[in-house]
Amino acid sequence: MEIIQSPQNKQVKEWKKLSSKKGRLNQKQYILDGWHLVKEAIQANESIKRFLIVPDSRYIDEFNEFNSTKAEVTYISSEVAHAISETPSPQGIFAIIMIDDSRNVLPSDLTGAWLLLDSVQDPGNIGTMIRTADAAGFRGVVFGDGTGDLYQPKVVRSMQGSQFHLELLQSDLTTFIVELEKNDIPTFGTELNKDAKSYNEIGKYSDFGLIMGNEGNGVQAKHLKLTKHNLYIPIIGQAESLNVAVAAGILMYTLKK
Amino acid sequence: MEIIQSPQNKQVKEWKKLSSKKGRLNQKQYILDGWHLVKEAIQANESIKRFLIVPDSRYIDEFNEFNSTKAEVTYISSEVAHAISETPSPQGIFAIIMIDDSRNVLPSDLTGAWLLLDSVQDPGNIGTMIRTADAAGFRGVVFGDGTGDLYQPKVVRSMQGSQFHLELLQSDLTTFIVELEKNDIPTFGTELNKDAKSYNEIGKYSDFGLIMGNEGNGVQAKHLKLTKHNLYIPIIGQAESLNVAVAAGILMYTLKK
């Protein structure tokens, strides 16, 4: 069995580049770290290009039993695993996944619930919102301009595999909101403004779009103008605001029929 | 004006120790980083021991105008600010706060809504839950055994000042749950179990205790046995679970009258 031993190896350097947006764009692939995510990718029939495995990883038996793909397996040393991983104690199992370019095409049927991200920045927030959208039974998440990159390692970690359960699209939000409204699918903006509608007074919906905004600046005014309603969550105590992923969770579970 | 220039200065080394639990326990103080938090501490009449300020911080005029305390001001270099701070671009304004030992005493009147943390680990989750409890109008948060330390820098950062608005107690959770139930104040556990009660079927309350559990293991069985009801949030999609801070947000806003 050939094992790549050195973090200085040329291929290892290429994999390390996948932690940057530039590297992912150039190579059109991203990396999954850990057995839970690798397993989800196999289950979801993702285009897996290659597995990277430390031969004495404690997940190797489970992997060999579960893996039904023909993707190549490359063995790496524990030192290489530490070089690639962004976690302090990697499980020694990775998958390199081809990035799907079809994310920029708008679906012709827009029914279902959509979460629209308007310049959300923090990768932990983005990943957590995608995981919550999955749990709440949403159809997809739309990445508007200025929103952090879907495939950065921290987003991938906090999504916990939900990218395989949802439609993740990249779109200009103005276009997407207008398209939903044209199809009689209501859109809801969110703002920290007591003159907006309280979030629990508009009922439940099967088909709708919910827009969450940037951590500091909220949803852009040009988007708030296009929506059916703009909602706010009352602040009862003295906090100035809610964390955006928490607010998104409250809204998704309240609005989804 | 005397300015501490070197990160090697003896005092600076003591302040740096406040990023560890041991350091905070030894010195009985913790550190606030940034103008927003320092301002909240002044407003809340916290026992501020000392301010640390970089003379050309852009918040210095606002600080001088707003500061009504007699706490000593120590000037530090930007290099020292970087050594003390855990953020990449510190604002150059800090406060050293005395830790309040009264947190271990149970209040005699237990009315109001309480969030009980059962071995919650991630500092971002802890801080976000405290911030949400504040926003939702809770009275306080109880730190059970095994829950992360309240004054670690990441918790302090994600609380965003909510520690000054809520009662934060340290208590054995069994004692606290029994005490609430004795006073006819219902307690609600949470579990990932479809046989538990759905969270939106039990109505709204002014006085109650809500228990959130460890990220991996949930609320301990010994605590679930003591509650009035145990609740679950239905997972509609394919996600395995919700992030604990998101789940806490949904529950707090749903249950609080």
Side-chain angles (χ1 to χ4, degrees), chain A:
Chain A
M1 184 194 297
E2 200 188 325
I3 300 173
I4 298 183
Q5 297 287 355
S6 164
Q8 304 310 320
N9 176 290
K10 221 171 138 186
Q11 270 190 290
V12 176
K13 284 184 179 166
E14 289 303 305
W15 299 328
K16 280 177 74 173
K17 285 184 188 157
L18 297 178
S19 65
S20 77
K21 187 169 184 175
K22 193 179 153 202
R24 291 189 295 274
L25 277 175
N26 283 341
Q27 299 183 38
K28 291 197 166 127
Q29 49 194 22
Y30 75 104
I31 197 161
L32 292 178
D33 181 349
W35 173 234
H36 172 69
L37 294 180
V38 171
K39 190 176 171 185
E40 289 258 9
I42 297 171
Q43 245 163 351
N45 287 316
E46 285 294 304
S47 332
I48 299 170
K49 199 175 168 193
R50 181 187 301 278
F51 297 104
L52 308 176
I53 301 182
V54 177
D56 59 0
S57 165
R58 66 194 182 92
Y59 295 95
I60 196 155
D61 292 340
E62 216 177 321
F63 167 76
N64 284 329
E65 213 165 290
F66 191 81
N67 180 25
S68 52
T69 72
K70 298 219 159 63
E72 204 176 323
V73 176
T74 301
Y75 294 100
I76 56 174
S77 67
S78 156
E79 213 186 335
V80 169
H82 274 92
I84 299 170
S85 178
E86 298 216 342
T87 65
S89 31
Q91 298 178 345
I93 182 159
F94 304 82
I96 311 276
I97 311 283
M98 305 301 293
I99 290 179
D100 181 2
D101 273 341
S102 67
R103 292 179 54 227
N104 302 318
V105 182
L106 244 59
S108 55
D109 168 19
L110 287 168
T111 52
W114 296 93
L115 176 66
L116 280 53
L117 304 182
D118 183 356
S119 310
V120 180
Q121 284 303 305
D122 180 83
N125 285 338
I126 295 172
T128 302
M129 285 195 269
I130 293 173
R131 177 179 170 194
T132 311
D134 181 9
F138 273 49
R139 173 172 167 192
V141 179
V142 184
F143 281 60
D145 301 334
T147 290
D149 183 50
L150 172 59
Y151 296 112
Q152 53 187 314
K154 267 193 193 166
V155 173
V156 173
R157 214 153 55 233
S158 20
M159 284 193 290
Q160 300 215 348
S162 288
Q163 71 267 42
F164 306 130
H165 311 148
L166 294 174
E167 293 175 44
L168 301 176
L169 308 175
Q170 194 110 39
S171 167
D172 170 63
L173 287 195
T174 300
T175 311
F176 205 88
I177 296 167
V178 168
E179 209 52 43
L180 288 172
E181 290 285 346
K182 254 199 235 163
N183 284 274
D184 281 328
I185 297 175
T187 56
F188 305 118
T190 46
E191 48 179 341
L192 207 61
N193 171 1
K194 289 182 187 168
D195 297 331
K197 265 199 179 324
S198 181
Y199 75 107
N200 51 9
E201 289 170 0
I202 61 157
K204 286 184 177 287
Y205 299 80
S206 301
D207 307 323
F208 65 102
L210 170 68
I211 315 167
M212 300 302 302
N214 173 269
E215 287 83 353
N217 306 315
V219 175
Q220 294 176 68
K222 65 175 184 184
H223 295 144
L224 291 176
K225 275 184 203 151
L226 298 170
T227 58
K228 184 177 172 73
H229 292 306
N230 293 320
L231 309 176
Y232 89 105
I233 300 176
I235 303 288
I236 297 146
Q238 297 171 69
E240 287 183 4
S241 63
L242 285 164
N243 164 278
V244 65
V246 170
I250 295 170
L251 291 165
M252 287 193 263
Y253 264 89
T254 305
L255 297 173
K256 181 78 173 57
K257 191 182 271 176

Side-chain angles (χ1 to χ4, degrees), chain B residues 106-116 137-142 167 169 176 179-186 205-209 256:
Chain B
L106 243 58
S108 55
D109 168 20
L110 287 169
T111 52
W114 296 93
L115 176 67
L116 280 55
F138 272 51
R139 174 173 167 189
V141 179
V142 184
E167 293 175 45
L169 308 175
F176 205 88
E179 208 54 42
L180 287 172
E181 290 286 346
K182 251 199 236 162
N183 284 273
D184 282 327
I185 296 175
Y205 300 80
S206 301
D207 308 323
F208 66 101
K256 181 77 173 57

Side-chain angles (χ1 to χ4, degrees), chain B residues 33-250:
Chain B
D33 181 348
W35 172 233
H36 172 70
L37 295 179
V38 170
K39 190 176 171 184
E40 288 259 10
I42 297 171
Q43 245 164 352
N45 287 316
E46 286 293 305
S47 332
I48 299 170
K49 199 174 168 194
R50 180 186 303 277
F51 297 104
L52 308 176
I53 301 181
V54 177
D56 59 1
S57 165
R58 65 191 182 94
Y59 295 94
I60 196 154
D61 291 340
E62 216 178 323
F63 167 75
N64 284 329
E65 213 166 290
F66 191 83
N67 180 26
S68 53
T69 71
K70 299 219 160 60
E72 204 174 325
V73 176
T74 301
Y75 293 99
I76 57 175
S77 67
S78 156
E79 214 187 332
V80 168
H82 275 93
I84 299 170
S85 179
E86 299 216 341
T87 64
S89 32
Q91 298 178 345
I93 182 159
F94 305 83
I96 311 275
I97 310 282
M98 306 301 293
I99 289 179
D100 180 3
D101 274 341
S102 67
R103 293 179 53 224
N104 303 319
V105 183
L106 243 58
S108 55
D109 168 20
L110 287 169
T111 52
W114 296 93
L115 176 67
L116 280 55
L117 303 182
D118 184 356
S119 309
V120 180
Q121 284 303 305
D122 180 82
N125 285 338
I126 295 172
T128 302
M129 285 195 269
I130 293 173
R131 178 180 170 194
T132 311
D134 181 9
F138 272 51
R139 174 173 167 189
V141 179
V142 184
F143 281 61
D145 301 334
T147 289
D149 183 48
L150 171 60
Y151 296 111
Q152 54 186 314
K154 267 194 193 169
V155 173
V156 173
R157 214 153 55 232
S158 21
M159 285 193 289
Q160 300 217 349
S162 288
Q163 72 268 42
F164 306 129
H165 311 148
L166 294 174
E167 293 175 45
L168 300 176
L169 308 175
Q170 194 109 39
S171 168
D172 171 64
L173 286 196
T174 300
T175 311
F176 205 88
I177 296 167
V178 168
E179 208 54 42
L180 287 172
E181 290 286 346
K182 251 199 236 162
N183 284 273
D184 282 327
I185 296 175
T187 55
F188 305 117
T190 47
E191 46 179 343
L192 207 59
N193 172 0
K194 289 182 187 170
D195 297 332
K197 264 199 181 326
S198 181
Y199 76 106
N200 50 9
E201 289 171 358
I202 62 158
K204 287 184 176 286
Y205 300 80
S206 301
D207 308 323
F208 66 101
L210 170 68
I211 316 168
M212 299 304 302
N214 174 270
E215 285 83 352
N217 306 317
V219 175
Q220 292 178 70
K222 68 175 183 184
H223 294 144
L224 291 176
K225 275 185 203 148
L226 298 170
T227 58
K228 183 175 172 76
H229 292 305
N230 293 320
L231 309 177
Y232 90 105
I233 300 177
I235 303 288
I236 298 147
Q238 299 172 68
E240 287 183 5
S241 62
L242 285 165
N243 163 278
V244 65
V246 170
I250 295 170

